[in-house]
């Protein structure tokens, strides 16, 4: 796999997420986020290319609904997803949360 620089900064977090892929539901932890996606570890593990929906509970107890995300890579229980469909108001809430993380770069919000 060729080396590439990520265009977005990742922010460390630790929050719970429920994800659905068809009739299957998994529970996971989000370990970091960036504008376009999330890195998670969970059960069951996912395969690249699978489409899932997410309900993420941020540390400030806000829920973020992502109706469609695509698994981009996986290694064992860890995988990363890219947000494909995000409602406008959800996107605004997520941007506000990321802005808080930028303002508090040394503190992991949990």
């Amino acid at each position: 796999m060729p080396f590439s620089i990520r265009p977005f900064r990742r922010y460390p977090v630790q929050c719970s997420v429920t994800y659905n892929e068809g009739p299957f539901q998994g529970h996971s932890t989000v370990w970091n986020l960036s504008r376009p996606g999330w890195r998670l570890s969970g059960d069951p593990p996912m395969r690249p290319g699978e489409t899932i929906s997410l309900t993420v509970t941020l540390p400030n107890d806000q829920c973020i609904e992502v109706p469609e995300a695509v698994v981009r890579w996986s290694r064992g229980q860890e995988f990363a997803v890219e947000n494909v469909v995000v409602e406008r108001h959800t996107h605004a809430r997520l941007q506000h949360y990321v802005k808080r993380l930028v303002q508090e770069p040394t503190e992991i919000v949990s």
Side-chain angles (χ1 to χ4, degrees):
M1 184 181 216
F3 176 76
S4 64
I5 296 175
R6 288 189 173 88
F8 298 100
R9 180 175 172 197
R10 291 181 176 194
Y11 298 96
V13 295
Q14 186 174 352
C15 47
S16 65
V17 61
T18 301
Y19 56 96
N20 297 289
E21 193 267 326
F24 301 104
Q25 185 175 73
H27 299 282
S28 179
T29 301
V30 175
W31 295 106
N32 68 40
L33 67 90
S34 65
R35 240 186 260 166
W38 317 80
R39 182 175 64 89
L40 311 109
S41 63
D43 184 37
M46 304 305 294
R47 292 186 311 263
E50 290 183 306
T51 301
I52 62 176
S53 62
L54 306 168
T55 302
V56 181
T57 304
L58 297 175
N60 61 7
D61 290 327
Q62 282 190 26
C63 282
I64 297 290
E65 301 277 338
V66 178
E68 187 176 338
V70 175
V71 177
R72 293 300 179 199
W73 61 262
S74 68
R75 258 180 300 210
Q77 300 295 105
E78 287 190 56
F79 58 99
V81 298
E82 178 182 359
N83 301 330
V84 176
V85 175
V86 179
E87 306 259 339
R88 188 181 310 239
H89 70 279
T90 300
H91 182 73
R93 287 172 50 204
L94 187 55
Q95 279 189 312
H96 177 75
Y97 182 72
V98 169
K99 189 174 182 178
R100 265 191 50 217
L101 291 174
V102 170
Q103 292 170 350
E104 302 167 3
T106 57
E107 179 181 329
I108 296 176
V109 182
S110 58

